[in-house]
Amino acid sequence: MSHCRLLSAALALTSVCGISMGQDQAAPQPAQEPVKETAPVNQPAPSGGQPVKGPEAKPGEAKPAEAKPSGEVPKEAKATEDPYVLGITVKDINGAEQKLEQYKGKVILIVNVASNCGFTPQYEGLQRLYDKRRDEGLVILGFPSNDFGAQEPGTNAEIKEYCTSKYGVSFPMFEKISVIGAQQHPLYKKLSGQPAPVGGDPNWNFTKFLVDRSGNVVARFNSRAVPDDTSEKISPESKAMADKIDELLKAKG
């Protein structure tokens, strides 16, 4: 009996040891969760559609410029040109230098002209206007230009021959110049530099600028429509321009 009890006890101990040994083995480690990426410092991840801000400047570095809010319109530069436009020397169509100040005291209509334009017949109206009002103090100054559609390709001599023989032009004509672009003549820089609605480059041939007796440019009449142009398109004998000329001729210089 003692031997049987000892054997039973030994078997029980072996069983218990086996269970203990199984429990002493290293248990498998649970799988690690993937590390979540975080946004860099000072760059929070987008939330709700908000843009990510750029990094702040390091010490000693300039701070990055911030973008202007959407829809903000930059302020336009204000025109600061003196309206006096007669302090300029030009060359007439024969090549002789002429000071525009010789016309001070008159009402002056400055027109950029061309020989091959749809508006070229306006030479007739300009000449009639000159014949009618010159004794009252109106003078018309024609400045040929090839800037629009290459519609004034001739030489000064050819232009003079054409406008005098075909249209009987007798008002002062000047040499061919650029009225827009990099080679813009100083006179047209002055005219274009005026505040709206007078200023701005001519938008086509036969754009007209009116100058009062004191030599200040005071009005503009376009000959051709452009998408953002709401001013009236004017022929030389239109009522709108005639009324303005009347007003200026009656004023004292």
Side-chain angles (χ1 to χ4, degrees):
M1 290 294 292
S2 299
H3 180 72
C4 291
R5 289 178 180 174
L6 289 174
L7 181 58
S8 298
L11 291 174
L13 180 60
T14 300
S15 177
V16 172
C17 289
I19 294 172
S20 299
M21 289 176 63
Q23 291 176 343
D24 290 341
Q25 292 178 354
Q29 296 294 322
Q32 294 183 349
E33 296 181 0
V35 178
K36 295 182 180 179
E37 294 184 359
T38 58
V41 177
N42 295 328
Q43 287 191 342
S47 175
Q50 298 298 321
V52 177
K53 295 183 180 180
E56 293 184 356
K58 296 179 181 179
E61 293 182 350
K63 184 177 181 180
E66 295 182 359
K68 292 184 177 181
S70 176
E72 183 176 339
V73 179
K75 294 181 179 179
E76 295 182 359
K78 294 182 179 179
T80 57
E81 280 284 359
D82 184 339
Y84 185 77
V85 296
L86 301 185
I88 295 172
T89 299
V90 296
K91 288 185 179 180
D92 67 21
I93 203 160
N94 297 314
E97 289 192 347
Q98 302 283 336
K99 291 184 178 181
L100 291 180
E101 284 185 341
Q102 67 181 296
Y103 300 109
K104 190 173 182 180
K106 295 182 177 292
V107 173
I108 307 166
L109 184 64
I110 299 174
V111 189
N112 60 301
V113 296
S115 301
N116 299 325
C117 178
F119 292 104
T120 299
Q122 287 197 10
Y123 267 130
E124 293 179 342
L126 289 169
Q127 183 60 41
R128 283 194 296 266
L129 179 62
Y130 181 60
D131 289 339
K132 181 180 179 181
R133 312 302 299 268
R134 63 181 171 182
D135 290 341
E136 300 174 61
L138 175 70
V139 64
I140 297 173
L141 309 182
F143 288 87
S145 174
N146 198 41
D147 290 325
F148 302 105
Q151 294 176 349
E152 187 64 281
T155 64
N156 290 322
E158 291 170 335
I159 294 167
K160 179 181 178 181
E161 168 63 23
Y162 175 78
C163 66
T164 54
S165 63
K166 186 170 179 63
Y167 296 105
V169 169
S170 63
F171 54 80
M173 291 286 293
F174 295 84
E175 70 173 0
K176 186 163 67 173
I177 61 172
S178 291
V179 299
I180 59 173
Q183 302 302 316
Q184 187 178 45
H185 190 277
L187 172 60
Y188 274 83
K189 286 183 179 179
K190 289 284 289 184
L191 294 169
S192 299
Q194 300 304 309
V198 174
D201 289 341
N203 65 345
W204 201 252
N205 302 311
F206 291 86
T207 299
K208 305 162 190 70
F209 292 91
L210 262 176
V211 179
D212 66 15
R213 292 185 185 272
S214 297
N216 299 320
V217 57
V218 294
R220 170 196 178 124
F221 303 98
N222 290 333
S223 58
R224 187 171 187 262
V226 292
D228 59 349
D229 178 21
T230 58
S231 63
E232 187 177 358
K233 270 58 72 177
I234 298 296
S235 69
E237 297 171 293
S238 66
K239 185 178 185 304
M241 195 161 72
D243 289 346
K244 188 63 179 179
I245 290 173
D246 282 340
E247 175 190 328
L248 296 178
L249 286 174
K250 292 175 181 177
K252 294 182 180 180

